[in-house]
Amino acid sequence: MKATLILESTNATDAGVVRKLNEDSLGVREPSGPLERVQKGSLWVIADGVGASGRGQQASRLAAHSIIDAYWTSAIPETVDRLRSAVERTNGLLFAQNDPRASAQEITGATMLAGVIVEDRLYVAHVGRSRAYLIRNGEMRQLTEDHTWVAERVRSGEIPADAAAKHPRRNVITRCLGIKDTIQIDMHDTDLLPEDIILFCSDGLHRQVPDSDIQQICQNYRSGAANRLVDEAKRRGGEDNITTVVVQISTVTQQHDSTVDRLAVVNRIGRELAMSLDVNSTLGSVMRQLIAMTGGERGAVLLRDENGTLVPRAAHNIGPGTFEDYSRTVATQALADKKPVVIANALDDPSLNNSMSIVGLSLRSIVCVPLIVKETAIGVLYVDSAARSNVFDQTDLDLLVSFASLAATAIENARLHETLLVRSRELENSRARQESLFRSLSSGLIAIDIDGTITHWNPAAAEMIGVQAEKALGSKLNGVLPKALASWISNLAIQAELDSQTFMMSHEWEGNVGNRDRAIIAGRVARIRDIDGQAEGTVFILNDRTDVVLLEEARRTEGAERDKMRELFRRYLAPSVAERLLNSPEAVQLGGSRQDVTILFADVRGFSGFSERHTPEEVVAMLNHYLALATQEIFNELGTLDKFLGDGVMAIFGAPVPVPSHEMAAVKAALAMRASLDRLRSDTGVRVGFGIGLNAGPAIVGNIGTSQLMNYTAIGDVVNVAARLQSEARSGEILISQAVLERVRDQVNFEELSDIYVKGRSVPVTTYKLLGMREASPAPVRR
């Protein structure tokens, strides 16, 4: 016979007297069986909607439903982390529902209080001004703090408590789900005792009913307490929606339950796995316990290696020989499907009667559960029996699934630990080789005896901590070290005493040491034992990681600044030029080189008439839109945007990045610009188009200007001709030179125009109008 805490809960929600719509939402999720009761407990969620025209009700319902669903389906093992994650996920969901352009009055959200009771412990997540109370031994204590403007001023002492109830800003909340993409969540947890009473309520109760009356109703009524509280709030005015949950904790004595025992074993195994990084030995003992509980004869934990092959890591009653000692078919299926496999009688299963392992070992009952880490199957947990059929039932499967989750996490932690150990050894070897040159990075060694007295304090420890050996030897840690550092080192000693490993590492410590405002120390600890294995003391190896961490932080800052500079350059320069500047800054010099390029000029036609009929804002918006279209098509064909020229652009194809057939790339860009503008004109009715000119030939390309201000551009006759062609082009026309036509003649349709004269040239330029791309000739038909 053993005592068990029993929960009796009642709840009620009401719109109140004044409000017609109840924007409070209440969600409740109870466990469906013993396994869920131990793992997930009972969950209550109160959400109070914020928003006009009934949208607050929608937000509160979504919040309550989402928190319950996210909590119940989460694979996070720790209750407090699972609950916090569920609330953060719900905040993101509500935030995504709001239009970023909406006004403050149009934004919706919800305040929230979520309470979970797992075994004998209460966990509360809180955002807003709903409250959680604990009534124990005739006294009521508020567990949460209100997130309102007035409450925060009362806590800081700016407003007296007796003035809060009538303050004009008493209803202004300071935290709410859905308003920002991140949310600060208050988390509380406490142990529960028999006869405790837990109350969860929205602000519609505690703003109407004094705490003393709330306590009296909770103590005097059991099954009707929630409804009594709602009725009392309505009797006192009921100005807001009212929601209450009252949980009575009682203790009963019940018969011995094997299921509860199994769940207790799983919890104990979980704690054992979490405390040990030597997974092989732990899994061996755990496997034996699982075999005893399930009634199976043999079992193994098989992990997938780097080649994807399952390899035994722990086994019971199975020899260390080949994989044929197991059912390869069943194990592979569970691994591939990421789902448990239960076989009642393998010998009678037609899909398995050809399996050599099953036939050879006369296997009957088999259960195989995958080990999942972050949605990846890293192995399987396998148990079988050749004695009889139908050995494993649903309870056994639930037990193995629970254990598999714990084992998978422990295995992954062990792998990470091994990786850290390898890296630690590499760093240690490097440190050892450089010890003579970097004395400041040498390890400090501190040893204490079984009574906690310091027995050894080397010079490196004295230099690192700023305490000489003469003062340290013979003293206690808290007598010579800063309080925070002494506490950290003492915790290392406790870990070493509890852990079975000979040597273990710890997390890094950061704080003030000696005359340094910031020191970062990594520690390792080992137990000192005599020849009989009896503990004689503890030794600590301390490494000063301050310089290394500061260097890593500086590198991250430098990388962030470089990314910021790249983004800034790309706002003003063509992407190819920006990358060239960043990757080869030494190339940014005055001067240029002669290269064969194609020059494109494009100018907006009809812009002056549009400007006369529209506001300056509309004119600028239109111009930016058209120039963005032109820029995108130029970049699509690997062109370089040289500059904007009022309502036109100049682009270079073939420099600085070589482009195969840069003439055709320029032609395609020009046609795409015209097509994009035609579609836009058809959609908007605005009679604006591009006049485009193209010319190809040699040009001087490079950085033109001064050492303080330079511009990457092209100069030469080829540029002048392209600009002249553009000036002759009407809206929607693309004019090309003889040089361009000669290189793309076979691929385009064109029309010859009259010659034009270019300033500085005595010979006229033959001009052609580009009509479009020529369709490919059909393939000949063989007869």
Side-chain angles (χ1 to χ4, degrees):
M1 305 286 284
K2 60 182 180 179
T4 303
L5 292 181
I6 299 297
L7 311 180
E8 297 179 8
S9 67
T10 60
N11 58 75
T13 184
D14 193 278
V17 176
V18 176
R19 304 264 180 106
K20 294 182 179 180
L21 188 66
N22 188 358
E23 296 192 348
D24 283 359
S25 290
L26 172 64
V28 182
R29 182 67 182 265
E30 297 285 356
S32 59
L35 186 61
E36 284 192 350
R37 184 169 65 250
V38 171
Q39 292 182 334
K40 299 178 180 178
S42 300
L43 172 63
W44 298 268
V45 178
I46 295 176
D48 188 352
V50 176
S53 302
R55 297 180 63 191
Q57 185 184 60
Q58 299 174 8
S60 69
R61 289 177 178 175
L62 178 60
H65 174 80
S66 175
I67 291 172
I68 291 176
D69 181 68
Y71 174 85
W72 219 259
T73 58
S74 174
I76 299 175
E78 296 297 329
T79 300
V80 65
D81 296 333
R82 187 189 311 133
L83 185 58
R84 179 187 289 107
S85 174
V87 177
E88 290 173 345
R89 175 179 172 183
T90 299
N91 179 71
L93 183 62
L94 289 174
F95 180 75
Q97 302 291 318
N98 284 315
D99 188 338
R101 298 167 298 181
S103 64
Q105 292 76 18
E106 296 173 323
I107 294 178
T108 61
T111 61
M112 174 282 315
L113 184 141
V116 179
I117 297 180
V118 179
E119 294 186 302
D120 59 351
R121 194 159 186 82
L122 168 67
Y123 303 87
V124 176
H126 176 232
V127 174
R129 58 181 178 184
S130 293
R131 289 182 180 178
Y133 294 93
L134 171 65
I135 301 175
R136 175 179 293 171
N137 298 328
E139 296 183 358
M140 186 168 75
R141 175 167 59 97
Q142 182 179 333
L143 301 178
T144 56
E145 292 183 342
D146 295 345
H147 300 145
T148 65
W149 187 92
V150 167
E152 291 175 357
R153 297 307 183 277
V154 170
R155 288 193 289 271
S156 65
E158 300 175 44
I159 297 176
D162 54 5
K166 296 183 180 180
H167 197 281
R169 303 191 67 181
R170 62 186 179 278
N171 294 326
V172 177
I173 58 174
T174 55
R175 292 191 208 174
C176 181
L177 299 183
I179 305 303
K180 299 180 180 179
D181 57 348
T182 59
I183 185 67
Q184 182 180 352
I185 308 164
D186 283 357
M187 303 297 298
H188 314 270
D189 61 276
T190 185
D191 289 330
L192 296 177
L193 299 175
E195 307 306 325
D196 282 350
I197 300 175
I198 307 300
L199 170 63
F200 306 128
C201 66
S202 64
D203 57 338
L205 175 68
H206 63 74
R207 287 164 56 199
Q208 297 285 160
V209 184
D211 285 1
S212 58
D213 293 346
I214 292 175
Q215 177 181 350
Q216 184 177 6
I217 292 174
C218 289
Q219 290 176 330
N220 292 344
Y221 302 93
R222 298 185 67 86
S223 60
N227 286 319
R228 289 274 186 169
L229 290 170
V230 169
D231 291 342
E232 182 64 18
K234 292 171 66 176
R235 189 182 69 82
R236 292 174 178 260
E239 297 177 359
D240 199 354
N241 307 144
I242 313 154
T243 302
T244 61
V245 176
V246 179
V247 183
Q248 307 277 349
I249 310 297
S250 59
T251 179
V252 300
T253 302
Q254 59 183 18
Q255 296 293 328
H256 189 78
D257 188 344
S258 60
T259 301
V260 175
D261 283 349
R262 290 182 172 190
L263 295 175
V265 170
V266 170
N267 284 339
R268 179 173 54 79
I269 292 171
R271 290 191 296 268
E272 183 178 351
L273 285 171
M275 294 177 61
S276 174
L277 291 176
D278 185 1
V279 178
N280 285 334
S281 61
T282 302
L283 290 181
S285 62
V286 168
M287 181 58 64
R288 289 189 294 272
Q289 297 176 49
L290 285 174
I291 292 295
M293 287 189 295
T294 60
E297 298 175 9
R298 312 179 320 144
V301 174
L302 305 112
L303 300 183
R304 185 166 61 181
D305 63 13
E306 61 274 8
N307 298 320
T309 304
L310 287 171
V311 178
R313 285 290 299 270
H316 178 72
N317 285 344
I318 295 179
T322 65
F323 189 73
E324 280 67 24
D325 290 335
Y326 315 92
S327 171
R328 184 194 302 268
T329 302
V330 173
T332 303
Q333 178 183 346
L335 184 71
D337 296 343
K338 300 181 184 178
K339 294 180 180 179
V341 176
V342 180
I343 307 296
N345 192 339
L347 295 177
D348 293 341
D349 192 327
S351 63
L352 300 173
N353 53 23
N354 291 327
S355 175
M356 295 181 60
S357 58
I358 289 177
V359 175
L361 297 170
S362 299
L363 299 180
R364 294 184 179 276
S365 296
I366 304 174
V367 61
C368 190
V369 179
L371 298 167
I372 307 295
V373 176
K374 295 181 179 179
E375 300 182 359
T376 300
I378 65 171
V380 296
L381 178 65
Y382 175 95
V383 183
D384 67 29
S385 174
R388 56 191 177 88
S389 305
N390 299 309
V391 172
F392 308 112
D393 57 17
Q394 184 63 41
T395 301
D396 296 317
L397 180 61
D398 291 342
L399 182 67
L400 292 179
V401 169
S402 299
F403 167 65
S405 175
L406 299 172
T409 301
I411 292 169
E412 186 67 13
N413 289 340
R415 288 177 170 177
L416 293 175
H417 178 69
E418 290 172 359
T419 301
L420 289 175
L421 285 178
V422 170
R423 293 178 181 176
S424 175
R425 295 189 190 100
E426 293 173 353
L427 291 174
E428 183 66 19
N429 292 336
S430 175
R431 188 203 62 78
R433 290 191 298 268
Q434 299 175 358
E435 185 174 1
S436 60
L437 297 176
F438 301 97
R439 295 295 298 173
S440 62
L441 298 178
S442 61
S443 298
L445 188 148
I446 301 174
I448 59 175
D449 60 19
I450 195 68
D451 296 323
T453 301
I454 299 173
T455 59
H456 190 84
W457 187 281
N458 73 344
E463 181 179 355
M464 184 185 307
I465 298 174
V467 177
Q468 297 302 314
E470 295 78 9
K471 180 179 179 181
L473 294 176
S475 304
K476 302 292 185 179
L477 289 173
N478 56 10
V480 296
L481 294 177
K483 183 178 179 180
L485 181 58
S487 176
W488 178 68
I489 293 179
S490 299
N491 287 334
L492 292 183
I494 296 173
Q495 294 177 33
E497 183 177 354
L498 295 176
D499 201 282
S500 59
Q501 285 194 305
T502 303
F503 206 72
M504 64 174 292
M505 297 182 64
S506 77
H507 61 279
E508 293 180 348
W509 178 87
E510 180 175 342
N512 299 329
V513 173
N515 59 358
R516 293 187 294 173
D517 294 333
R518 185 186 183 193
I520 302 169
I521 299 175
R524 289 168 293 165
V525 59
R527 296 284 284 173
I528 305 173
R529 301 184 183 277
D530 59 20
I531 193 172
D532 298 324
Q534 298 298 316
E536 290 187 332
T538 306
V539 62
F540 308 94
I541 304 296
L542 306 180
N543 291 325
D544 192 335
R545 298 232 332 131
T546 307
D547 292 341
V548 175
V549 172
L550 292 178
L551 179 60
E552 292 174 351
E553 292 177 353
R555 287 175 176 172
R556 287 195 296 269
T557 302
E558 180 183 356
E561 289 297 328
R562 184 177 180 84
D563 291 341
K564 183 178 179 181
M565 186 62 67
R566 176 180 285 108
E567 182 63 26
L568 182 62
F569 274 21
R570 283 177 172 170
R571 290 177 182 269
Y572 297 96
L573 303 176
S576 56
V577 180
E579 289 300 325
R580 186 174 181 181
L581 284 173
L582 289 168
N583 296 328
S584 303
E586 68 280 356
V588 185
Q589 299 176 0
L590 288 174
S593 61
R594 181 175 295 274
Q595 298 186 49
D596 191 65
V597 296
T598 298
I599 304 298
L600 180 151
F601 277 89
D603 188 78
V604 179
R605 300 290 192 256
F607 178 67
S608 299
F610 183 89
S611 302
E612 294 174 356
R613 298 189 303 272
H614 294 80
T615 65
E617 292 79 8
E618 292 174 331
V619 172
V620 171
M622 181 279 291
L623 183 60
N624 288 342
H625 188 55
Y626 288 177
L627 294 180
L629 287 177
T631 302
Q632 185 59 54
E633 301 301 345
I634 291 169
F635 285 172
N636 287 344
E637 297 298 334
L638 302 181
T640 298
L641 182 64
D642 185 297
K643 62 177 69 71
F644 291 109
L645 302 167
D647 54 357
V649 295
M650 171 184 171
I652 307 171
F653 291 82
V657 180
V659 177
S661 187
H662 52 76
E663 305 86 355
M664 181 53 66
V667 166
K668 289 180 179 179
L671 290 171
M673 290 163 57
R674 185 174 67 183
S676 296
L677 213 58
D678 287 344
R679 289 192 297 270
L680 185 62
R681 184 166 52 246
S682 176
D683 293 340
T684 63
V686 178
R687 309 303 296 175
V688 175
F690 277 127
I692 302 174
L694 299 178
N695 190 24
I700 303 300
V701 183
N703 296 305
I704 309 299
T706 69
S707 58
Q708 289 79 24
L709 180 63
M710 62 183 70
N711 180 35
Y712 187 87
T713 188
I715 59 176
D717 183 64
V718 64
V719 179
N720 298 334
V721 172
R724 182 73 172 90
L725 290 173
Q726 175 266 315
S727 67
E728 292 293 324
R730 292 178 294 181
S731 177
E733 284 190 340
I734 303 173
L735 301 187
I736 64 176
S737 67
Q738 180 73 30
V740 174
L741 181 64
E742 288 176 354
R743 305 183 192 188
V744 300
R745 178 186 296 270
D746 297 336
Q747 303 177 61
V748 301
N749 293 321
F750 61 92
E751 175 186 332
E752 184 174 353
L753 303 177
S754 60
D755 296 344
I756 63 173
Y757 284 90
V758 178
K759 184 179 181 181
R761 275 192 168 206
S762 59
V763 179
V765 176
T766 304
T767 307
Y768 300 88
K769 179 163 66 173
L770 181 64
L771 302 178
M773 298 296 295
R774 180 176 298 178
E775 296 184 1
S777 301
V781 179
R782 297 185 178 182
R783 299 185 181 276

